[in-house]
């Protein structure tokens, strides 16, 4: 979630807030944070495809986060759906705000019970989170999608199609291939 949180972190810093950024070592997270000059500390890893591996990695990261931040003066935890951060915030009594855009994850009950506020895109059906323990007063919506946030500074290259040999009358679709 580097691309999504980077502009938010930058805005908070511009407004004079101290921001401590931790990231999980998963796919392109660390290289993206490095590429965009996002000062961070890597804690934890992706648990793989199995539920057991994911659960172990989540609890492991939460314990590491707790040890790392327990002596810091953290006044608010903010994340894009970090379950390990939610557990850490709960254990350390740190208020938490989470941004969420996936209603189907089985661990959402952690976020929905711990977070003081859950921010979702306005096209998101808030009621989907109520089944996980969120209350109506916790869930607030914002205009757009997370892509609106991380693409806000995007400046298209006018000559891209010509440089790449793509006919200008064609639709271009990109896809991440693992």
């Amino acid at each position: 979630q580097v691309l999504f949180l980077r502009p938010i972190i930058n805005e908070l810093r511009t407004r004079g807030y101290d921001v401590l950024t931790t990231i999980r070592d998963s796919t392109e997270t660390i290289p993206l944070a490095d590429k965009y000059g996002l000062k961070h500390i890597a804690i934890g890893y992706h648990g793989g495809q199995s539920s057991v591996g994911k659960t172990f990695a989540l609890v492991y990261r939460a314990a590491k986060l707790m040890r790392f931040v327990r002596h810091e003066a953290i006044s608010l935890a903010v994340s894009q759906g970090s379950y390990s951060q939610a557990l850490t915030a709960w254990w350390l009594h740190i208020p938490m705000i989470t941004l969420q855009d996936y209603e189907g994850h089985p661990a959402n009950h952690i976020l929905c019970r711990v977070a003081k506020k859950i921010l979702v895109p306005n096209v998101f059906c808030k009621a989907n989170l109520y089944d996980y323990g969120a209350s109506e007063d916790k869930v607030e919506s914002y205009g757009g999608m997370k892509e609106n946030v991380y693409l806000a500074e995007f400046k298209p290259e006018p000559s891209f199609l010509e440089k790449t040999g793509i006919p200008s009358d064609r639709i271009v679709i990109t896809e991440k291939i693992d």
Side-chain angles (χ1 to χ4, degrees), residues 106-169:
N108 277 346
H109 64 90
I110 297 170
L111 295 173
C112 291
R113 287 172 170 78
V114 172
K116 299 295 181 200
K117 283 292 178 192
I118 303 166
L119 306 177
V120 297
N122 58 6
V123 297
F124 187 94
C125 181
K126 296 179 196 179
N128 291 334
L129 295 176
Y130 302 154
D131 292 340
Y132 291 97
S135 57
E136 286 185 44
D137 62 317
K138 277 188 179 186
V139 185
E140 293 191 25
S141 60
Y142 60 90
M145 304 290 283
K146 69 181 179 185
E147 290 78 8
N148 294 98
V149 174
Y150 67 73
L151 291 174
E153 298 172 357
F154 175 72
K155 305 269 189 287
E157 160 117 24
S159 61
F160 175 78
L161 295 177
E162 184 181 331
K163 284 181 181 178
T164 56
I166 299 171
S168 61
D169 63 338

Side-chain angles (χ1 to χ4, degrees), residues 16 35 50 57-58 62 73 88 109 136 161:
K35 176 181 178 177
S50 76
L58 185 156
T88 301
H109 64 90
E136 286 185 44
L161 295 177

Side-chain angles (χ1 to χ4, degrees), residues 36 79 99 101 113 116 123 131 172:
Y36 288 103
S79 77
L99 297 111
D101 66 350
R113 287 172 170 78
K116 299 295 181 200
V123 297
D131 292 340
V172 179

Side-chain angles (χ1 to χ4, degrees), residues 39-95:
K39 184 179 171 191
H40 63 276
I41 293 114
I43 298 175
Y45 58 91
H46 190 280
Q49 296 301 315
S50 76
S51 295
V52 172
K54 287 179 182 184
T55 301
F56 182 81
L58 185 156
V59 173
Y60 174 81
R61 182 167 193 262
K64 292 289 224 179
L65 280 170
M66 188 174 70
R67 289 184 64 210
F68 180 71
V69 302
R70 69 178 175 211
H71 299 298
E72 301 288 332
I74 307 293
S75 56
L76 180 66
V78 179
S79 77
Q80 167 68 27
S82 172
Y83 307 106
S84 53
Q85 185 195 66
L87 289 176
T88 301
W90 180 67
W91 286 332
L92 298 177
H93 306 285
I94 299 169

